[in-house]
Amino acid sequence: LLFSGPQNLSWVREFYCNMDSLDDIGPSFKTLVRSKPITVNPALLRELLGIGQVFPIFYLFLVRPTCDFNEVAHALCGFPRPWPSGSLIKQNELLPQFRLLNLIVCANVIVTTHSSEINQDQGFVFQCLAQHRSIDLATLIIQKLVVAYARNNLGLPYGCLINRLLA
Protein backbone atom coordinates (compact mmCIF):
# COMPACT_ATOMS: atom_id res chain seq x y z
CA LEU A 1 0.00 0.00 0.00
CA LEU A 2 3.02 2.22 -0.45
CA PHE A 3 2.79 5.40 -2.46
CA SER A 4 5.93 7.44 -2.87
CA GLY A 5 5.46 11.14 -3.27
CA PRO A 6 3.52 13.85 -1.52
CA GLN A 7 0.14 12.88 -0.11
CA ASN A 8 -2.81 15.05 -1.04
CA LEU A 9 -5.08 15.04 2.02
CA SER A 10 -7.76 17.09 0.28
CA TRP A 11 -8.09 14.27 -2.30
CA VAL A 12 -8.60 11.79 0.54
CA ARG A 13 -11.25 13.96 2.22
CA GLU A 14 -13.04 14.53 -1.09
CA PHE A 15 -12.89 10.80 -1.89
CA TYR A 16 -14.70 9.97 1.37
CA CYS A 17 -17.13 12.92 1.30
CA ASN A 18 -18.39 12.02 -2.17
CA MET A 19 -18.81 8.27 -1.69
CA ASP A 20 -22.16 7.22 -3.13
CA SER A 21 -24.00 4.23 -4.58
CA LEU A 22 -22.83 1.93 -1.84
CA ASP A 23 -23.80 -1.50 -3.08
CA ASP A 24 -25.23 -3.89 -0.48
CA ILE A 25 -25.06 -6.78 -2.92
CA GLY A 26 -21.51 -6.45 -4.19
CA PRO A 27 -18.48 -4.72 -2.77
CA SER A 28 -18.32 -1.53 -4.82
CA PHE A 29 -19.15 2.16 -4.66
CA LYS A 30 -18.80 5.36 -6.64
CA THR A 31 -17.08 8.57 -5.67
CA LEU A 32 -16.07 11.84 -7.25
CA VAL A 33 -12.71 13.58 -6.81
CA ARG A 34 -11.92 16.83 -8.63
CA SER A 35 -14.88 16.19 -10.94
CA LYS A 36 -13.47 12.78 -11.88
CA PRO A 37 -15.99 9.96 -11.32
CA ILE A 38 -14.48 6.75 -9.97
CA THR A 39 -16.11 3.36 -9.47
CA VAL A 40 -14.21 1.49 -6.78
CA ASN A 41 -14.52 -2.29 -6.96
CA PRO A 42 -12.30 -5.28 -6.15
CA ALA A 43 -11.02 -5.58 -9.73
CA LEU A 44 -9.79 -1.96 -9.68
CA LEU A 45 -8.00 -2.44 -6.35
CA ARG A 46 -6.43 -5.73 -7.45
CA GLU A 47 -5.10 -4.01 -10.58
CA LEU A 48 -3.82 -1.05 -8.56
CA LEU A 49 -2.10 -3.29 -6.01
CA GLY A 50 -0.82 -5.75 -8.61
CA ILE A 51 -2.46 -8.75 -6.97
CA GLY A 52 -4.50 -11.49 -8.57
CA GLN A 53 -7.74 -13.01 -7.47
CA VAL A 54 -7.17 -16.30 -5.71
CA PHE A 55 -9.43 -19.25 -5.04
CA PRO A 56 -10.65 -20.61 -2.75
CA ILE A 57 -11.22 -17.50 -0.65
CA PHE A 58 -11.60 -18.23 3.03
CA TYR A 59 -12.06 -14.73 4.35
CA LEU A 60 -15.09 -12.59 3.54
CA PHE A 61 -17.21 -15.47 2.34
CA LEU A 62 -19.19 -18.40 3.69
CA VAL A 63 -16.48 -19.99 5.85
CA ARG A 64 -16.42 -17.08 8.31
CA PRO A 65 -19.97 -17.48 9.73
CA THR A 66 -19.30 -21.15 10.45
CA CYS A 67 -16.05 -20.38 12.27
CA ASP A 68 -15.59 -21.54 15.88
CA PHE A 69 -13.97 -18.48 17.45
CA ASN A 70 -13.00 -20.44 20.55
CA GLU A 71 -10.72 -22.47 18.26
CA VAL A 72 -9.37 -19.27 16.70
CA ALA A 73 -8.62 -17.88 20.16
CA HIS A 74 -6.85 -21.13 21.08
CA ALA A 75 -4.68 -20.92 17.95
CA LEU A 76 -3.83 -17.25 18.51
CA CYS A 77 -3.18 -17.45 22.25
CA GLY A 78 -1.79 -20.96 22.55
CA PHE A 79 -4.22 -22.11 25.22
CA PRO A 80 -7.96 -22.90 25.35
CA ARG A 81 -9.86 -19.66 25.71
CA PRO A 82 -13.47 -18.72 25.05
CA TRP A 83 -14.08 -15.87 22.63
CA PRO A 84 -17.71 -14.73 22.87
CA SER A 85 -19.09 -12.47 20.17
CA GLY A 86 -18.26 -8.81 20.74
CA SER A 87 -15.36 -9.42 23.09
CA LEU A 88 -11.73 -8.59 22.36
CA ILE A 89 -8.41 -10.32 22.86
CA LYS A 90 -5.60 -8.18 24.21
CA GLN A 91 -2.31 -7.95 22.32
CA ASN A 92 -0.36 -9.36 25.31
CA GLU A 93 -2.50 -12.55 25.26
CA LEU A 94 -1.35 -13.44 21.74
CA LEU A 95 1.50 -15.79 20.93
CA PRO A 96 4.64 -13.83 19.91
CA GLN A 97 4.22 -14.54 16.18
CA PHE A 98 0.66 -13.20 16.28
CA ARG A 99 1.73 -10.09 18.21
CA LEU A 100 4.05 -9.22 15.35
CA LEU A 101 1.44 -10.14 12.73
CA ASN A 102 -1.07 -7.93 14.57
CA LEU A 103 1.22 -4.91 14.29
CA ILE A 104 1.85 -5.53 10.59
CA VAL A 105 -1.82 -6.11 9.74
CA CYS A 106 -3.05 -3.13 11.79
CA ALA A 107 -0.60 -0.80 10.04
CA ASN A 108 -1.08 -2.08 6.49
CA VAL A 109 -4.21 -4.15 5.93
CA ILE A 110 -6.92 -3.49 8.52
CA VAL A 111 -5.78 0.07 9.05
CA THR A 112 -6.56 1.05 12.62
CA THR A 113 -5.23 3.60 15.08
CA HIS A 114 -4.44 1.06 17.78
CA SER A 115 -3.27 -2.51 17.97
CA SER A 116 -3.73 -3.25 21.68
CA GLU A 117 -6.85 -5.38 21.15
CA ILE A 118 -8.17 -7.49 18.32
CA ASN A 119 -11.73 -8.35 17.40
CA GLN A 120 -13.01 -11.58 15.89
CA ASP A 121 -12.67 -10.37 12.29
CA GLN A 122 -9.01 -9.54 12.85
CA GLY A 123 -8.47 -12.85 14.61
CA PHE A 124 -9.99 -14.72 11.71
CA VAL A 125 -7.71 -12.88 9.26
CA PHE A 126 -4.69 -13.83 11.41
CA GLN A 127 -5.74 -17.47 11.46
CA CYS A 128 -6.22 -17.49 7.67
CA LEU A 129 -2.78 -15.96 7.15
CA ALA A 130 -1.14 -18.39 9.60
CA GLN A 131 -2.75 -21.36 7.85
CA HIS A 132 -1.88 -20.03 4.37
CA ARG A 133 -5.54 -19.61 3.49
CA SER A 134 -6.40 -16.99 0.91
CA ILE A 135 -8.22 -13.79 1.77
CA ASP A 136 -9.81 -11.35 -0.62
CA LEU A 137 -7.70 -8.30 0.24
CA ALA A 138 -9.41 -6.03 -2.30
CA THR A 139 -12.88 -6.73 -0.92
CA LEU A 140 -11.58 -6.39 2.65
CA ILE A 141 -10.20 -2.93 1.83
CA ILE A 142 -13.48 -1.85 0.23
CA GLN A 143 -15.39 -2.97 3.32
CA LYS A 144 -13.05 -0.95 5.54
CA LEU A 145 -13.44 2.12 3.29
CA VAL A 146 -17.24 1.84 3.54
CA VAL A 147 -17.11 1.42 7.34
CA ALA A 148 -14.91 4.53 7.62
CA TYR A 149 -17.41 6.45 5.49
CA ALA A 150 -20.39 5.26 7.53
CA ARG A 151 -18.81 5.99 10.92
CA ASN A 152 -17.68 9.59 10.98
CA ASN A 153 -15.77 9.11 14.24
CA LEU A 154 -13.09 7.03 12.51
CA GLY A 155 -10.06 8.36 10.69
CA LEU A 156 -9.75 8.20 6.93
CA PRO A 157 -7.80 4.99 6.25
CA TYR A 158 -5.92 4.05 3.09
CA GLY A 159 -4.84 7.60 2.24
CA CYS A 160 -1.76 6.31 0.38
CA LEU A 161 -3.91 3.92 -1.65
CA ILE A 162 -6.39 6.68 -2.51
CA ASN A 163 -3.56 8.97 -3.60
CA ARG A 164 -2.11 6.19 -5.73
CA LEU A 165 -5.52 5.61 -7.32
CA LEU A 166 -5.92 9.30 -8.17
CA ALA A 167 -2.36 10.07 -9.24
Side-chain angles (χ1 to χ4, degrees):
L1 303 181
L2 176 66
F3 177 79
S4 59
Q7 301 299 301
N8 190 328
L9 297 179
S10 65
W11 284 357
V12 175
R13 281 192 223 86
E14 197 172 335
F15 178 92
Y16 279 100
C17 287
N18 293 328
M19 285 174 67
D20 190 22
S21 302
L22 303 175
D23 190 349
D24 292 334
I25 297 169
S28 68
F29 61 88
K30 294 179 181 179
T31 189
L32 187 71
V33 179
R34 304 291 184 224
S35 301
K36 178 183 175 185
I38 303 163
T39 300
V40 180
N41 57 42
L44 175 69
L45 292 185
R46 280 194 285 276
E47 179 182 335
L48 184 67
L49 295 171
I51 58 176
Q53 186 168 3
V54 292
F55 295 101
I57 297 171
F58 288 91
Y59 183 69
L60 293 179
F61 292 93
L62 297 177
V63 132
R64 196 233 180 258
T66 62
C67 179
D68 181 347
F69 284 101
N70 294 334
E71 289 179 16
V72 174
H74 187 180
L76 299 179
C77 299
F79 60 88
R81 179 196 189 290
W83 198 354
S85 181
S87 67
L88 303 170
I89 291 181
K90 299 208 178 293
Q91 164 86 356
N92 64 2
E93 294 178 72
L94 299 173
L95 291 170
Q97 65 267 29
F98 290 112
R99 289 180 195 163
L100 179 60
L101 184 61
N102 182 41
L103 296 174
I104 293 167
V105 169
C106 286
N108 297 290
V109 179
I110 303 175
V111 181
T112 181
T113 56
H114 64 83
S115 59
S116 60
E117 299 172 323
I118 66 166
N119 62 31
Q120 288 182 336
D121 280 339
Q122 289 169 292
F124 189 71
V125 169
F126 297 164
Q127 185 185 43
C128 286
L129 293 173
Q131 295 177 350
H132 304 283
R133 291 182 173 175
S134 56
I135 62 172
D136 186 349
L137 180 61
T139 300
L140 175 64
I141 290 172
I142 289 175
Q143 286 184 342
K144 297 303 175 185
L145 289 167
V146 170
V147 167
Y149 169 78
R151 296 178 60 197
N152 60 8
N153 63 339
L154 295 177
L156 302 177
Y158 304 107
C160 290
L161 181 67
I162 292 167
N163 272 267
R164 189 171 166 191
L165 174 66
L166 299 171

